Amino acid sequence: MSLESVKAFFTANAPDVEIIDQGASTATVPLAAQALGVKEGQIAKTLAIKVGDERVLVVMAGDARLDNRKTKAAFGARPRMLPAEEVLELTSHPVGGVCPFGLPQPLKVYCDVSLKAFDEVYPAAGSLTSSVRLTPARVAELVEAVWVDVSQDVVVG
């Protein structure tokens, strides 16, 4: 059902986007990067979190980590990751295939600025073996996301 809802979403909203089925598990960022032959940061992971009483999705670079302080500042409450069962109920996508496309109900979606480091990113497409290739701007446009800065700053050196 989940992959089907994503296919229906792209058919209706972006028929030019092709769903890629790697034929291998992309349930984790390292597995997805290996299957697609890209850097881990190019995997656009979707986190389902609860902030206060609201459940939202945050799409960020695969190698980025959520910064609790920045998230609290952006959303007004400390973020809590949703349990797998609640993520499946909320998105219809299994953990490892969660994406902001083809959702059964409207959800606020936020794109983290960490995505902007890449020309193309690969969000999951509703299953443990599928993804799509999009620019970060197109991801945000398709799901009417708001840009935020909620990832930890990278310390170099």
Side-chain angles (χ1 to χ4, degrees), residues 33-146:
Q34 182 179 16
L36 291 160
V38 299
K39 296 176 182 172
E40 289 187 9
Q42 286 181 270
I43 304 304
K45 64 183 175 186
T46 301
L47 306 177
I49 61 173
K50 186 173 184 177
V51 283
D53 292 331
E54 190 173 24
R55 299 180 301 177
V56 301
L57 299 180
V58 176
V59 184
M60 62 192 328
D63 59 356
R65 296 181 56 106
L66 203 60
D67 182 295
N68 285 334
R69 181 186 51 79
K70 285 183 175 181
T71 306
K72 185 175 180 180
F75 298 121
R78 188 174 183 277
R80 303 241 186 254
M81 298 297 289
L82 295 177
E85 311 78 47
E86 194 171 342
V87 173
L88 182 60
E89 176 188 324
L90 184 68
T91 66
S92 80
H93 308 318
V95 170
V98 177
C99 65
F101 315 114
L103 303 172
Q105 58 196 333
L107 278 175
K108 284 188 181 174
V109 178
Y110 297 89
C111 283
D112 181 69
V113 295
S114 61
L115 295 172
K116 292 183 177 184
F118 304 97
D119 292 334
E120 293 181 324
V121 294
Y122 294 80
S127 79
L128 301 182
T129 62
S130 62
S131 60
V132 291
R133 182 179 70 213
L134 298 166
T135 65
R138 186 102 189 263
V139 173
E141 174 192 326
L142 285 169
V143 297
E144 300 178 3
V146 174

Side-chain angles (χ1 to χ4, degrees), residues 2-23:
S2 181
L3 179 58
E4 294 308 313
S5 67
V6 174
K7 285 180 182 177
F9 173 87
F10 282 110
T11 297
N13 298 289
D16 59 304
V17 174
E18 180 183 344
I19 294 178
I20 305 163
D21 188 340
Q22 289 77 228

